[in-house]
Amino acid sequence: MSKLFDLTGKTAFVTGAASGLGYAMAEGFAEHGALVTLADANRAGLDAAVAKLNAAGHQAMAVELDVREPANIRTAVAGAAKHYGKMDIVVANAGITGGPPISEEAGHIENIDLDTWNNVVKINQTGVFATLQAAAAVMKPQRSGRIIVTASISGLRTSEVSGYPYTVTKAAVAHLVHLAAVELAPYNILVNGVAPGPFMTNIADGRLFRDPERVKAMANSVPLKRMADPQELKGLALLLASGAGSFITGQVIPIDGGATAL
Amino acid sequence: MARLQDKIIIITGGARGIGAAFCKAVAAEGAVVVVSDVRDGAGTVKAIEAEGGRAVFMHCDVANSKSANDLVSDVVKRFGRIDALVNNAAIFANLQRQSFFEIGEQEWDDVMAVNVRGPFLLCKAVAPILMKQKAGKIVNIASGTVFKGQTGITHYVTSKGAIVALTRCVARELGNYNINVNAIAPGLTMSEGVLSNPSMTGAGANATLNTRALKREQQPEDLTGALVFLCSSDSDFMTGQTMVVDGGSVMR
């Protein structure tokens, strides 16, 4: 059997890992042998997620982390790296939707208050940047590593259902992937992004699970005519984290049911 | 667990180079490979069988609609279904680098016939099968050169641009049938065909290498992870995409 996607003995650190896409990626890595550190601001959710992985026979540990505190990200990533003796994979996944879409009046440009804007920038953009800083700090001396950023198709093309702060911060991290990939390549650190389309996650406090009409509309908006389960992000993250992706860097890869067809 | 256990996968241009590496990679993941080529693919089949894998050779000239249709119907007759088609066959390794205004009409047409009409004909041939199954994967092989406008091989780059477009169109049209259509865009890869053509190696290859974030030669095996992913259920929510695998020369 091929070992192309194997992560036995690899270590991974995932932010926003208590639920949704972050949890799915962490679980996918663990299922392929990685020792995973789950970071999240939601302590209760985090503990439940780690308990679930450990109960399934995986090796997982929890770090309570609010990515609005960059110094804490450095401490958390460095701490996990020290614990395991190395850090092979870091996923900058934590993010929020932040604000209504432009299709709603509250989402019109003149109505977005700067506190909302600044909070989204802090989490989605500065938080991701600081996570990459923390990852590079441990990976450069190792001269190896994989970094994965959760971008969004909202950051690649505009849509009525996207809001300003989310769209702009996701566009920023997509380009961050390109720049970091160039800088870190000489250290054998590969940097890529995943750009999910409509996934059923609890983003925006579980709005999707309360709004079947919205779900139907989102499903019908993509060629595959359905929304995705977070499980379906596992394979792409695994490709980018494993030997299977050893010549892929600087890519932001949409996984969106064909919405963008880039 | 192998990722492609018992999947029936057709790979065109499987006799050598990147195609042969693709055949070996999917066979190693448990697939039954239909190695297809205008050349003899016995070597690829033998190599797969030596590793305990399963493969058969079926001749096909992808530019010829009868040949493309016969391939698909022969595979269905023999195996009962098709899980994935990999449109890999293309004219590239034998080309001479030249200015676009030096490219003759016949050479232009030959490249378009194999590189564009071929994948189009095979997409058409397998679509009814995949639609009936309500499942299937098509993986087209494009090229990173599309996003750079590489000079010296304008017909090739243009043909691969068409493949990116074909991928998007067919993905949209077949999405409703649970069929995924994606492309891989490799960088210049040191296949045996490329290595045997001085026009493709040397200064031109070095210039390409220097545009990469990862400064090394690309090998056929660098592409197999992306191919296995796109042939497997791991990519069930991905369609219409062209995934660049080129060491970070093109960044999208």
Side-chain angles (χ1 to χ4, degrees), chain A residues 1-2 5 32 178 185 198 223-226 228 235-236 238 244 247 249-252 254 256-262, chain B residues 1 3 29 168 172 175-176 213 216 218 222 225-226 228-229 234 236-241 244-248 250-252:
Chain A
M1 199 195 122
S2 150
F5 294 84
H32 287 78
H178 301 150
L224 290 180
K225 304 290 179 210
R226 65 181 180 87
L236 180 57
L238 186 63
F247 213 54
T249 195
Q251 307 305 323
V252 179
D256 64 357
T260 56
L262 290 173
Chain B
M1 180 65 189
R3 311 186 90 76
E29 294 290 345
R168 292 170 179 163
R172 289 199 187 279
N176 212 11
R216 66 168 174 87
Q218 182 160 11
D222 288 320
V228 169
F229 168 69
D234 275 354
D236 278 355
F237 201 58
M238 233 176 109
T239 196
Q241 299 302 330
V244 177
V245 183
D246 73 347
V250 171
M251 293 192 180
R252 305 171 69 225

Side-chain angles (χ1 to χ4, degrees), chain A residues 217-231:
Chain A
M218 286 171 81
N220 279 326
S221 74
V222 304
L224 290 180
K225 304 290 179 210
R226 65 181 180 87
M227 290 190 65
D229 185 278
Q231 299 279 329

Side-chain angles (χ1 to χ4, degrees), chain A residues 162-177:
Chain A
S162 305
Y164 281 100
Y166 187 74
T167 300
V168 174
T169 54
K170 289 300 185 180
V173 298
H175 207 44
L176 171 63
V177 165

Side-chain angles (χ1 to χ4, degrees), chain A residues 84-101:
Chain A
Y84 289 117
K86 60 173 181 165
M87 185 49 66
D88 298 303
I89 303 152
V90 169
V91 184
N93 168 74
I96 59 171
T97 46

Side-chain angles (χ1 to χ4, degrees), chain A residues 16-198:
Chain A
S19 63
L21 304 180
Y23 178 75
M25 287 189 273
E27 187 179 55
F29 297 155
E31 285 164 349
H32 287 78
L35 313 163
V36 294
T37 303
L38 282 67
D40 206 293
N42 170 1
R43 181 82 232 185
L46 183 62
D47 288 341
V50 168
K52 188 177 166 194
L53 290 178
N54 285 325
H58 305 306
Q59 287 199 54
M61 69 182 190
V63 178
E64 189 174 337
L65 178 66
D66 184 339
V67 296
R68 286 174 293 194
E69 304 292 341
N72 293 354
I73 305 177
R74 286 230 188 192
T75 308
V77 174
K82 197 174 171 205
H83 178 80
Y84 289 117
K86 60 173 181 165
M87 185 49 66
D88 298 303
I89 303 152
V90 169
V91 184
N93 168 74
I96 59 171
T97 46
I102 59 167
S103 57
E104 295 172 18
E105 195 172 338
H108 293 178
I109 196 161
E110 68 277 19
N111 296 333
I112 302 287
D113 73 67
L114 282 177
D115 288 342
T116 301
W117 171 273
N118 286 331
N119 189 50
V120 178
V121 168
K122 216 175 214 178
I123 294 171
N124 289 12
Q125 189 170 318
T126 310
V128 168
F129 181 68
T131 305
L132 264 59
Q133 287 186 305
V138 298
M139 289 174 176
K140 274 188 171 180
Q142 295 173 177
R143 300 193 81 81
S144 73
R146 300 291 179 91
I147 297 172
I148 300 171
V149 171
T150 302
S152 166
I153 59 166
S154 296
L156 305 179
R157 61 111 176 83
T158 55
S159 137
E160 288 240 310
V161 297
S162 305
Y164 281 100
Y166 187 74
T167 300
V168 174
T169 54
K170 289 300 185 180
V173 298
H175 207 44
L176 171 63
V177 165
H178 301 150
L179 193 59
V182 172
E183 194 219 320
L184 299 178
Y187 300 90
N188 191 30
I189 300 166
L190 278 51
V191 188
N192 292 288
V194 296

Side-chain angles (χ1 to χ4, degrees), chain B residues 184-232:
Chain B
I184 297 172
L188 179 65
T189 302
M190 295 297 126
S191 62
E192 63 254 52
V194 166
L195 288 171
S196 64
N197 178 356
S199 178
M200 285 295 166
T201 54
N206 276 334
T208 295
L209 193 151
N210 281 324
T211 67
R212 291 177 183 149
L214 301 169
K215 303 214 182 293
R216 66 168 174 87
E217 289 185 335
Q218 182 160 11
Q219 303 301 333
E221 290 70 26
D222 288 320
L223 295 160
T224 56
L227 183 83
V228 169
F229 168 69
L230 290 175
C231 287
S232 78

